[in-house]
Every structure is written in C-alpha cells, then in structure tokens.
Amino acid sequence: MAYKFVDNYREKGARKQLVNNLEKRGIEDKRVLQAIGKVPRHFFFDETFWNQAYRDIAFPIGDGQTISQPYTVAYQSELLHVKKGDKVLEIGTGSGYQTCILLELGAEVFTIERQESLYHRTIQVLPYMGYKPHFFLGDGSRGIPDHAPYDKIIVTAGAPFVPELMLKQLKYGGLLVIPVGDEKSQKMVTILRVGENDFERIELDTFRFVPLVGDQAW
Ligand code: SAM
C-alpha cells in the first residue's frame, strides 16, 4: 500500500462530521471525541480509499485484519478512562489507529501485534506521524509480563475467555477492557482489579471483532 500523509480540508471536514456522529451515537467523553477529531484516520488508508476513512465502519488493512470501526475505538477508549501518564497495554496493534487515540489521551502505550507484516508497517507509520508507543511483536494473549503492572489493558480482538495472565498484570485499581464471546459475536467486558484475587466484572454491549489468536486465546 502507498501511504500519503496530507490532511486537507475535505478530510478535516469529514473527521468533524465523524465526531458529531459518534456523539449522536452516545459517546460522551469529550477527551475521546477530541482525540478522534485529531488523529487523521485516512493516514491508515491507501489514498484510493480516503473516501472510506471517516465512515463509521471497520475496513480491511490486509492480512485478513481490519482497522476497527471508529465507534468501537471510541467505545473502548471511553470505558478505559485513560488518565494522563497511565501505563496502558494494548493487545492487537493492527493499523495503530487505536494506539494513536490512547497516546492522544496521554497514556504511555505498550502495544503488541502478532502479525509480522502489520507490526513492520506500524513501527514505520506511527513514528512518522509523531506517535511513539513501545512496540512489540508476538502473542499478546499472555500480556507482556516483563513490563507489568499496567493501569489499563485494552484487547482489540475477540477472546474466548478472559486470560488469567492478563488479570495478574493489572495494578490494584487497574482496569481491563476485553471483548469476550464466540467467533460470531462478543460482549464487551470490563474487569476492575480491586485486590490480589478480587475482580469486579461488568458485561456491556455486543460487538464483532476478529479473533484473538494465541496461547491464551483461540
Ligand atoms: N485497534 C486496531 C486498529 O484500530 O487498527 C484494530 C485491531 S484488529 C481488529 C485486531 C488485531 O489483533 C489484529 O491486527 C490481529 O492480528 C491482532 N491479534 C490477534 N491476536 C493477537 C495476539 N494474540 N497478540 C497480538 N495481536 C493479536
């Protein structure tokens, strides 16, 4: 794919419209809306598809994977309640769009992708855009124990269950946001760590993600 990094009036206008649409759909967190309004989503698309970049849809990014739907990115970001300086682990870098939103929210981001081609693309594109997370290549279903504990963990692929190892990598008071279900649909689940072995779990809306593939996954 040939990337081009120009943010002109047409794209800026479409991005504003997207933010308005997300607000209408129920996203309330102003910081999340501001971040969506700032990150040029069309930079993750070949120029041929720029007219698709600000539609509220997931879109293929190659290797059978997708850039998440803006509503889903906003929904998960809102649930995470990212505070400036939070140490956030993101599992499933994909295009890196969600990563940029987390960085705009002030997080220090550790992001892991299992597909080599996506990883190599993202480690070039994000720094070029000025975004600098810590990149990792590998199976994120086990988290990244070497850098734990985290304030927040976000999983951007559908898991069959909540991996125990991820829970152990949360700080006390830390939060995991993970879609859990079967191949067809997943419930968004939030899990707050309240003590060594105490967790508060909430099940929310239904989504459809690509599968989380790995040792502690499909
Ligand atoms: N939020 C991303 C974005 O905006 O582009 C979309 C991520 S895509 C829906 C899910 C990603 O999770 C895919 O790139 C997939 O390769 C990755 N993935 C699946 N299983 C994984 C695992 N065990 N470890 C790391 N990444 C994984």
Side-chain angles (χ1 to χ4, degrees):
M1 266 212 277
Y3 290 102
K4 190 172 158 189
F5 300 95
V6 178
D7 196 18
N8 57 33
Y9 284 109
R10 200 179 43 199
E11 277 65 45
K12 282 186 176 134
R15 195 152 68 243
K16 238 183 203 161
Q17 190 59 51
L18 171 65
V19 170
N20 291 341
N21 291 343
L22 293 176
E23 213 170 355
K24 279 191 202 129
R25 275 199 75 178
I27 301 299
E28 291 176 348
D29 188 326
K30 296 285 178 220
R31 292 176 61 237
V32 169
L33 291 167
Q34 266 169 19
I36 302 258
K38 201 159 170 207
V39 178
R41 191 168 184 261
H42 63 285
F43 284 8
F44 300 92
F45 290 62
D46 186 277
E47 195 182 357
T48 331
F49 299 113
W50 278 10
N51 60 351
Q52 302 294 311
Y54 295 103
R55 292 181 62 204
D56 192 15
I57 54 169
F59 202 79
I61 54 172
D63 302 295
Q65 301 304 326
T66 52
I67 179 169
S68 300
Q69 183 178 348
Y71 177 73
T72 308
V73 172
Y75 186 98
Q76 286 195 289
S77 303
E78 190 165 72
L79 286 177
L80 270 187
H81 297 290
V82 176
K83 294 198 299 290
K84 203 167 165 32
D86 270 358
K87 196 171 155 189
V88 177
L89 171 61
E90 178 193 32
I91 295 156
T93 316
S95 67
Y97 176 64
Q98 170 79 73
T99 319
C100 296
I101 300 293
L102 295 171
L103 289 164
E104 284 290 348
L105 290 169
E108 179 186 14
V109 182
F110 295 74
T111 185
I112 182 162
E113 171 58 51
R114 66 179 281 277
Q115 293 215 29
E116 228 168 299
S117 53
L118 292 177
Y119 166 82
H120 286 297
R121 191 190 301 166
T122 313
I123 61 170
Q124 290 191 350
V125 172
L126 262 60
Y128 188 84
M129 289 171 68
Y131 293 108
K132 296 195 176 106
H134 307 280
F135 293 105
F136 297 86
L137 172 65
D139 176 10
S141 71
R142 305 178 61 83
I144 310 183
D146 287 355
H147 294 278
Y150 304 97
D151 295 293
K152 315 276 162 66
I153 301 178
I154 173 174
V155 181
T156 71
F161 54 85
V162 177
E164 188 77 19
L165 282 169
M166 274 184 210
L167 295 177
K168 295 288 176 203
Q169 291 171 39
L170 282 173
K171 290 183 186 173
Y172 294 166
L175 186 72
L176 167 66
V177 174
I178 180 169
V180 183
D182 58 27
E183 292 96 329
K184 288 197 182 121
S185 70
Q186 302 87 32
K187 288 268 183 212
M188 196 64 76
V189 174
T190 66
I191 300 180
L192 179 70
R193 185 172 198 179
V194 289
E196 175 63 25
N197 292 308
D198 290 329
F199 297 91
E200 285 173 7
R201 177 183 168 122
I202 301 174
E203 262 188 35
L204 298 153
D205 297 320
T206 303
F207 290 83
R208 185 170 189 172
F209 282 82
V210 296
L212 182 73
V213 178
D215 180 57
Q216 297 294 304
W218 292 107

